[in-house]
Amino acid sequence: MEKKPHLARREFPPREVPSAPLALLLAAVLLLSALLYLYLNKAHVSSGRAEADPGRCPTGYFRWGAVKNCSPWLSCEAINREVRRLKCVGEGAVKKVFLSEWKENKVVLSQLTSPELKDDFLHGLKMLKALQSKHVVRLLGYCEQQFTILTEYHPLGSLRGLNETLHIPKYRGMNTWHRRLMLAIDYVSIIRYLHSSPLGTLVMCDSNDLDKVLSQYLLTSDFHILVNDLDALPLVNRSAGRLVKCGHRELQGEFVAPEQRWPYGEEVPFEDDLMPPYDEKTDIWKIPDVSNFFLGHVEGSDIVRLHLFDIHAACKKKDPAERPSAQDVLDTYRKVLTLLIREAAMPGTREML
């Protein structure tokens, strides 16, 4: 019986992957990462001095939730008739804050605490009305006669509770270097907006320590930041020789900028009249400390800090004139975010190569 010859197995040389498809693959990965950045960061892209939101209502009106039409700010009569106080949820030097209800929606009603502070209260209301934008909590109504302000409610509260919020199971997926850096970008975007606001260059004076800074901002349910307290927001006008002082008491500690501290030593008692004024660069000094809080201690946060080292060192220059502008800091933050997203995409690309 004749044996059939065994078929020899053909050996094929290793197949080389053409370089053109690899380049296309790499380009696709980078494009996707760029699109991801643009999608997540679309609320941050600037256009013009005031960063006006084209979807916002004209002054004196607000739009809320899924409602398409703009409604006028609620008047004294409407607030008294339609808003129901539920409970007190906070009290500061100027305002007592009540969780309230309006048309089955949770809202916040703020009430002046003491007549002696009515000027601060009215200044905050003036700022809130004039600065309505994507950076500022939404104003729903007010009553000057009764010293009340009605604003949108954000259940996650102020930034003081950020770390606690990120440990709630629902939000643990947000506890990443990327999301934390986005919050820092939000914060610097607000500072940039205040420094180039429709009213001029405004200084965030309620910022003498980290806890005080964090209390001025709200965390939204979609993890963005809004400035909420605008009671202490003086105007710098260099052309008119107008600088500012944040209060009339001596400020101490490393958190406040050097120019905010008493310059004449302990042997000379503090006198407000002798204290030199300063400008908006005090806000720049504080950015590294606030951003350090945002970045926390998650995987990748130290890499972010390394990339931000130079700009943060510049923010801490003793001479205010040598510090960068808020726009410079914001540009650097955005570049670092783009760079790190691109680098995060590269390891997977190398494996495919």
Side-chain angles (χ1 to χ4, degrees), residues 54-353:
R56 283 193 171 269
C57 299
T59 301
Y61 293 80
F62 69 93
R63 181 189 292 115
W64 200 13
V67 179
K68 294 183 178 180
N69 297 326
C70 294
S71 301
W73 287 335
L74 273 66
S75 64
C76 296
E77 181 185 358
I79 291 174
N80 291 332
R81 184 180 66 250
E82 301 173 13
V83 176
R84 181 168 66 96
R85 297 187 187 187
L86 300 178
K87 62 178 180 178
C88 180
V89 292
E91 182 174 355
V94 179
K95 298 188 293 286
K96 185 177 287 187
V97 180
F98 297 89
L99 175 63
S100 305
E101 192 174 57
W102 173 65
K103 293 186 176 181
E104 300 182 351
N105 295 299
K106 294 289 195 308
V107 292
V108 172
L109 187 71
S110 300
Q111 178 83 52
L112 176 66
T113 56
S114 171
E116 290 80 18
L117 298 172
K118 67 178 183 179
D119 290 341
D120 291 332
F121 182 91
L122 293 175
H123 176 75
L125 174 58
K126 176 185 175 182
M127 295 293 105
L128 194 56
K129 290 160 61 177
L131 298 176
Q132 285 294 290
S133 69
K134 66 185 181 181
H135 300 297
V136 179
V137 68
R138 184 178 282 114
L139 177 64
L140 306 178
Y142 63 93
C143 180
E144 284 194 33
Q145 296 93 316
Q146 298 174 6
F147 298 101
T148 56
I149 299 173
L150 192 70
T151 54
E152 188 176 12
Y153 171 63
H154 293 278
L156 295 183
S158 80
L159 288 176
R160 285 189 294 190
L162 174 63
N163 288 323
E164 289 76 10
T165 297
L166 289 171
H167 283 95
I168 297 173
K170 179 180 178 182
Y171 299 111
R172 281 177 186 164
M174 296 286 193
N175 197 17
T176 64
W177 70 262
H178 176 267
R179 179 55 62 179
R180 284 176 170 272
L181 179 54
M182 292 285 284
L183 291 175
I185 289 175
D186 263 356
Y187 169 72
V188 178
S189 296
I190 292 171
I191 297 300
R192 193 283 307 273
Y193 173 64
L194 295 178
H195 289 185
S196 58
S197 82
L199 301 177
T201 302
L202 299 168
V203 181
M204 193 63 172
C205 266
D206 264 343
S207 57
N208 297 336
D209 57 64
L210 179 60
D211 190 66
K212 186 64 174 176
V213 170
L214 299 176
S215 71
Q216 309 301 303
Y217 298 87
L218 296 172
L219 181 64
T220 68
S221 297
D222 60 349
F223 269 71
H224 287 288
I225 296 175
L226 298 172
V227 62
N228 181 53
D229 196 332
L230 303 173
D231 297 340
L233 211 60
L235 178 69
V236 169
N237 188 339
R238 284 193 186 83
S239 60
R242 181 178 177 181
L243 300 177
V244 304
K245 287 191 286 187
C246 291
H248 304 287
R249 292 179 294 179
E250 183 177 2
L251 301 179
Q252 297 177 328
E254 292 299 315
F255 188 83
V256 297
E259 64 271 21
Q260 293 184 280
R261 303 172 209 152
W262 180 243
Y264 302 118
E266 295 181 359
E267 62 277 5
V268 180
F270 176 83
E271 287 188 43
D272 183 44
D273 291 341
L274 298 179
M275 180 66 198
Y278 34 83
D279 62 17
E280 77 280 3
K281 290 299 184 72
T282 58
D283 289 334
I284 304 300
W285 171 273
K286 298 160 188 173
I287 286 176
D289 299 294
V290 180
S291 290
N292 188 56
F293 167 80
F294 285 131
L295 292 175
H297 300 284
V298 297
E299 182 180 357
S301 62
D302 287 342
I303 299 298
V304 179
R305 287 186 178 90
L306 183 62
H307 282 275
L308 296 176
F309 180 85
D310 289 342
I311 191 67
H312 283 173
C315 290
K316 290 294 188 179
K317 294 281 189 181
K318 187 172 182 180
D319 182 355
E322 295 182 3
R323 296 174 204 153
S325 67
Q327 182 67 63
D328 293 334
V329 179
L330 181 59
D331 290 342
T332 301
Y333 274 40
R334 286 175 172 162
K335 287 176 184 175
V336 168
L337 177 60
T338 305
L339 172 66
L340 292 177
I341 288 176
R342 187 181 299 127
E343 289 182 351
M346 290 301 289
T349 306
R350 291 193 191 101
E351 290 176 10
M352 288 185 283
L353 293 178

